[in-house]
Amino acid sequence: MPVPLLSRQGWRHSQHPEKTGFTMEAQVPALQRRQNVRFASGDTSCAAWHYPGSNGGCVIMAGGTAVTKEPASDLFAARFNDAGFAVLAFDHRRFGESGGTPRQIVRFDEQVADWHAAIAYAATLPDVDPDRIALWGFSLAGGHIFRVAADHPRLAAAIAQTPLVDGRAVAPHALRAMTPLAMLGLFGRAVADALGGLVGREPLLVPAAGPRGAVASLTTPDAMDGDQALDPEGRYANWDQTVAARIALRLGGYRPGRHAARIRCPLLVIVCDQDQSVLPRPAVRAARNAPRSEVVRLTGRHYAPFLESHEQAVAAQLSFLRKHLASRDFH
């Protein structure tokens, strides 16, 4: 069983030593409270931040495509943790500080397996009630939420923010956002990358996002909002914003929203009405098929929850988490 690398600095024990929760020292910022941990997944391990919580609830978080844990989760994780929830924000294998080679390759089944491993690991943390675990993901990871939640009836809640739920619906729109030459360049590189992978060659990488005309994984009008939304101050110098080109051959067939009807936990879906990257309608349709779903519609494009609609998104998500991860005695 993996052992969490916990520090009690910035924390004091509860007045009730028989309980395993902790009480936050309010003066310590959440980003200073968090600790590096790792957990096993498949034949490697995933790197994560663990923000110890005080109320027994836990939110597991990850970002989409090539977005690593810090730019994906920092803005939201700190707010969740300040509200008393533990947070486990992790990198999918092959990305960020996680293990796995070759690097920068998105394999959907592997990433879903990483979520399952994260849930199992979170349940072992001393400040977490295994019956009060929630999931949070955006974009591609928001799509993974539908698959993972469908397979975990014990989950307390799940949040899918601007999720990619239907690659088949999104792909034609994404292709129209590309110039013909860029489309030929991307798919030529994708085929070469896939074939090279069969014989052990290093991945052929492309930018995860680019302007129209670029040979990049995504060139929709809001694709380039990512830097402003996720790293406006350039703090994440080690964030590799590339992805193996073969993703272009697979994304159109990825339809995690089809699992919505099997999700038994409460599900919050955040949709942005001007989203040009994953489109709002597929997410709304998928949410309607989940028995206990709520939809919050925001004004803005794909990254609006990190930008102009951030406070509205945080308020909706905190309200949802407080409702479904309600505090109770935790032993």
Side-chain angles (χ1 to χ4, degrees), residues 73-225:
S73 68
D74 277 1
L75 280 178
F76 286 88
R79 300 290 289 275
F80 297 160
N81 191 232
D82 285 342
F85 299 105
V87 173
L88 184 70
F90 74 95
D91 289 330
H92 294 109
R93 74 181 82 175
R94 305 182 190 276
F95 289 90
E97 296 177 321
S98 289
T101 55
R103 306 296 292 174
Q104 304 304 113
I105 295 176
V106 173
R107 292 176 178 165
F108 304 132
D109 288 346
E110 282 186 350
Q111 293 194 350
V112 168
D114 294 340
W115 280 92
H116 292 309
I119 293 169
Y121 176 71
T124 72
L125 294 171
D127 56 317
V128 174
D129 180 345
D131 290 316
R132 294 170 58 209
I133 292 175
L135 309 181
W136 182 101
F138 85 92
S139 201
L140 177 59
H144 294 336
I145 294 296
F146 282 75
R147 287 183 60 183
V148 179
D151 291 333
H152 277 275
R154 191 178 179 183
L155 286 172
I159 299 173
Q161 180 173 284
T162 58
L164 173 63
V165 298
D166 190 348
R168 185 179 297 176
V170 170
H173 179 79
L175 291 175
R176 287 193 294 271
M178 303 181 72
T179 63
L181 282 178
M183 186 188 308
L184 288 173
L186 176 61
F187 279 93
R189 196 166 181 84
V191 170
D193 180 41
L195 293 175
L198 296 176
V199 294
R201 293 178 183 167
E202 286 297 306
L204 297 176
L205 305 179
V206 295
R212 180 176 170 83
V215 177
S217 177
L218 191 66
T219 60
T220 51
D222 52 1
M224 294 300 289
D225 294 348

Side-chain angles (χ1 to χ4, degrees), residues 14-28:
S14 166
Q15 293 178 346
H16 303 283
E18 73 278 7
K19 296 184 180 182
T20 54
F22 301 95
T23 302
M24 285 182 286
E25 297 290 359
Q27 71 271 22
V28 181

Side-chain angles (χ1 to χ4, degrees), residues 218-264:
L218 191 66
T219 60
T220 51
D222 52 1
M224 294 300 289
D225 294 348
D227 280 341
Q228 178 190 358
L230 304 177
D231 193 16
E233 299 175 359
R235 293 191 297 141
Y236 309 117
N238 295 325
W239 176 21
D240 187 345
Q241 299 186 55
T242 63
V243 64
R246 68 193 75 173
I247 192 174
L249 304 177
R250 298 171 179 169
L251 208 56
Y254 191 52
R255 309 182 71 193
R258 294 181 298 172
H259 299 272
R262 297 194 296 112
I263 298 174
R264 292 295 173 259

